[in-house]
Amino acid sequence: MLRAAGVGVGDEVVVPAFGNVEVAESVVLAGALPVFADIDPVTYCLDVAAVEAAVTPRTAAVVVVHRFGRRADLAALRGVGQRHGLLVLEQGESEAPYGEVAQRRERAAYLDGKLKGVRTPDGGDGHTYQQYVVRVPGNGRPDRDAFARALRGRGVECRVPVKTPVHRLPEFRRCVSLRETELAADETLALPVDASLTKRDMQRVVGACNALGGLLQAAL
């Protein structure tokens, strides 16, 4: 899409650094330079003000990535594109069947009401819970990684959604401060909400998390 739109050598393309190294790689393959903008801490998608601040005379496009089942503020980002004459492209997530989404939402609502010691996701704007991502605010001890190890030790599958932001990878390293991106990479943890999970499975998730929750009070 970038090539078809004429984006190439000498152009800049604003992209998120929170995950999806493939987006930055695609910009490079088109001959352009990826410019990283910070994310909104609620949706984990590109922050509108950060995108506007990243625009330069060389900016040709913005690639918007929807994240974890939450959609970016596409209307506002398109507004930025219109003001600056930029192409705004989307990278969506695969759509799950309605019944599966409903089941994920049901499990997410259960976790919202039961979990302690972690920050649960904001469910606004039609969240489909492709991933149920909590925040484990850390003061270094215990941190998100220790929390994840302890959960796995209790039989709960969990995963760190973004281990290293793209702007910190060797091939894309930039001297840029993306505070929300870096905080999210340090604090986020995806808990299971798959439609296949039983009530007992969900109780196990809650029990394991809440057994560790007291350890986090100082960090909160």
Side-chain angles (χ1 to χ4, degrees):
M1 286 190 290
L2 290 168
R3 285 173 174 163
V7 175
V9 177
D11 291 328
E12 295 176 351
V13 180
V14 179
V15 299
F18 189 63
N20 289 74
V21 67
E22 297 85 3
V23 174
E25 288 172 343
S26 297
V27 173
V28 172
L29 286 172
L33 176 71
V35 173
F36 299 107
D38 213 351
I39 58 169
D40 180 290
V42 174
T43 66
Y44 302 107
C45 304
L46 280 173
D47 177 75
V48 176
V51 170
E52 187 118 41
V55 173
T56 75
R58 290 186 175 185
T59 307
V62 179
V63 179
V64 180
V65 181
H66 304 297
R67 183 71 64 195
F68 306 145
R70 278 295 299 266
R71 293 186 62 79
D73 188 348
L74 200 54
L77 289 165
R78 283 177 173 157
V80 174
Q82 290 172 353
R83 285 193 294 277
H84 298 279
L86 309 176
L87 177 69
V88 178
L89 299 175
E90 296 177 73
Q91 186 188 57
E93 297 176 303
S94 58
E95 295 289 334
Y98 177 79
E100 184 176 327
V101 171
Q103 289 178 311
R104 285 180 184 170
R105 285 174 173 159
E106 181 181 323
R107 285 156 179 74
Y110 177 81
L111 294 180
D112 288 346
K114 299 288 187 180
L115 288 176
K116 300 175 183 176
V118 298
R119 289 211 307 266
T120 55
D122 183 302
D125 194 27
H127 204 320
T128 60
Y129 296 100
Q130 296 274 12
Q131 296 187 58
Y132 184 90
V133 177
V134 300
R135 300 287 283 254
V136 185
N139 56 0
R141 198 181 312 167
D143 60 10
R144 184 272 318 279
D145 294 336
F147 189 85
R149 286 193 296 271
L151 284 185
R152 293 183 190 116
R154 288 165 167 79
V156 174
E157 291 295 324
C158 59
R159 61 181 295 274
V160 174
V162 176
K163 294 182 179 179
T164 305
V166 181
H167 72 299
R168 295 294 185 230
L169 295 174
E171 62 269 40
F172 290 108
R173 190 171 295 279
R174 301 282 191 276
C175 293
V176 59
S177 176
L178 302 177
R179 181 178 184 277
E180 297 300 341
T181 294
E182 289 162 12
L183 271 176
D186 288 342
E187 295 180 353
T188 51
L189 186 66
L191 300 179
V193 288
D194 301 338
S196 61
L197 294 172
T198 66
K199 185 174 182 180
R200 180 172 292 182
D201 292 331
M202 300 307 297
Q203 289 171 339
R204 183 183 301 115
V205 172
V206 169
C209 288
N210 290 356
L212 301 169
L215 299 175
L216 298 169
Q217 294 309 306
L220 292 173

